[in-house]
Each structure stands twice: as structure tokens, then as C-alpha cells.
Amino acid sequence: MKSIGKWAFLAGLALAVLAAFVELSWLPWLVGGLGLVVGYLNVAESEVKQFLPAGLALTVALFVIEQQRFNPEWLTNIVFFERVFVSHALLLVGLMAVFKVAKD
């Protein structure tokens, strides 16, 4: 299972870069979907407390970089799609953490 998660992570990063340059209507959905897969397969229960603040910090940093006026458009697009990828992984891990807390 970890092998699939590793490849999903690498594919998500690569597809996020590709989505910045190629306008295909389904590609952003695939990037977000791979983020969900990565969140499910790559983050063990023992890693949730590390992943959530680190992922949040990365998401905020990507957002700030995306908002800089002097970025070329291609860089802004790459950063946006990388943020889509990371935020979907965060979404799933965060939801799993909330459900676990609610269940306990």
C-alpha cells in the first residue's frame, strides 16, 4: 500500500505542474483526487499530529507565494495546483482526525 501512496504522491506533484500548463477540464479533478489518495494512503494515524500543522503551513506558504504580484503567470499556476494537491490531502486527513475524535 505504501508503494501506491508513494507513486500517487509523485504523480500528484507532477500532474500539478502539468495542470499549470495544459488546460484539460478533468486534470484539476485528478490533482485533487490524488491529494485525497495521498492523504488516505500516506498518512498513518501516528503521523496525523505532524501532518496537519505541516500541511497547513505549506498551504499558507503556497497561498502567499501565489498572491505575489511579481510572479510570472506560469509560476502562479504551478503554485496554485500544488496547493490544490496539498489541501485535498489535508482535507481528508483532517476529516479522519475529526471523526476519530468524535468517535472516542
Side-chain angles (χ1 to χ4, degrees):
M1 211 51 117
K2 285 291 185 182
S3 179
I4 293 171
K6 174 183 159 185
W7 285 108
F9 177 74
L10 294 173
L13 292 176
L15 285 174
V17 172
L18 181 64
F21 296 101
V22 178
E23 290 189 33
L24 297 172
S25 61
W26 53 269
L27 198 51
W29 291 93
L30 184 58
V31 170
L34 281 172
L36 295 173
V37 169
V38 165
Y40 182 73
L41 295 178
N42 285 13
V43 182
E45 190 174 329
S46 61
E47 300 170 324
V48 169
K49 287 185 180 180
Q50 290 176 297
F51 181 79
L52 289 176
L56 182 59
L58 180 58
T59 302
V60 169
L62 289 170
F63 179 76
V64 169
I65 291 168
E66 180 188 350
Q67 298 304 311
Q68 294 172 347
R69 294 187 317 257
F70 51 82
N71 287 343
E73 184 178 355
W74 62 267
L75 179 60
T76 300
N77 292 340
I78 289 173
V79 170
F80 170 78
F81 284 108
E82 294 295 345
R83 186 168 49 93
V84 167
F85 177 64
V86 171
S87 63
H88 279 76
L90 271 172
L91 172 67
L92 188 69
V93 173
L95 283 173
M96 291 187 325
V98 166
F99 282 116
K100 176 156 178 36
V101 168
K103 185 175 73 172
D104 289 344

